[in-house]
């Protein structure tokens, strides 16, 4: 199951979005579905997020567009002053 989708993406060359891990300061994790932006452009959304009491940071998973998924990229959480780094 799902092999057709993987093969189609491989045959066409490039994926346009992927699931990435994010981390950042703060204690209040953003909600599922919260949008992410970079330089004012919408680049993705959060699928899950949680505050880690041992690390004292927020960790999240998000689908992010190709233009913003490089390691070290800082993304702004829309509607707050929080930023997360891939």
């Amino acid at each position: 199951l799902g092999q057709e989708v993987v093969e189609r993406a491989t045959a066409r060359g490039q994926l346009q979005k992927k699931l990435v891990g994010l981390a950042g300061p703060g204690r209040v994790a953003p909600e599922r579905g919260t949008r992410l932006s970079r330089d004012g452009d919408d680049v993705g959304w959060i699928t899950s997020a949680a505050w880690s009491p041992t690390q004292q940071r927020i960790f999240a998973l998000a689908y992010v567009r190709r233009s913003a998924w490089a390691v070290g990229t800082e993304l702004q959480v829309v509607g707050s002053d929080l930023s997360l780094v891939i």
Side-chain angles (χ1 to χ4, degrees):
L1 186 61
Q3 292 176 356
E4 298 86 13
V5 175
V6 172
E7 179 56 34
R8 196 174 326 132
T10 303
R12 290 184 181 167
Q14 299 180 358
L15 297 174
Q16 296 305 311
K17 64 184 175 212
K18 76 174 182 176
L19 189 65
V20 298
L22 302 153
R27 292 182 65 97
V28 179
E31 294 183 21
R32 179 180 187 214
T34 301
R35 304 303 296 187
L36 297 169
S37 69
R38 179 175 178 222
D39 300 329
D41 295 329
D42 182 39
V43 294
W45 66 93
I46 292 177
T47 60
S48 61
W51 177 73
S52 169
T54 57
Q55 296 289 317
Q56 298 292 307
R57 299 167 41 140
I58 295 171
F59 290 97
L61 291 174
Y63 277 108
V64 176
R65 292 186 185 178
R66 171 177 285 285
S67 62
W69 75 34
V71 174
T73 303
E74 185 174 332
L75 303 177
Q76 300 299 318
V77 176
V78 174
S80 76
D81 57 355
L82 177 65
S83 63
L84 300 171
V85 177
I86 295 177

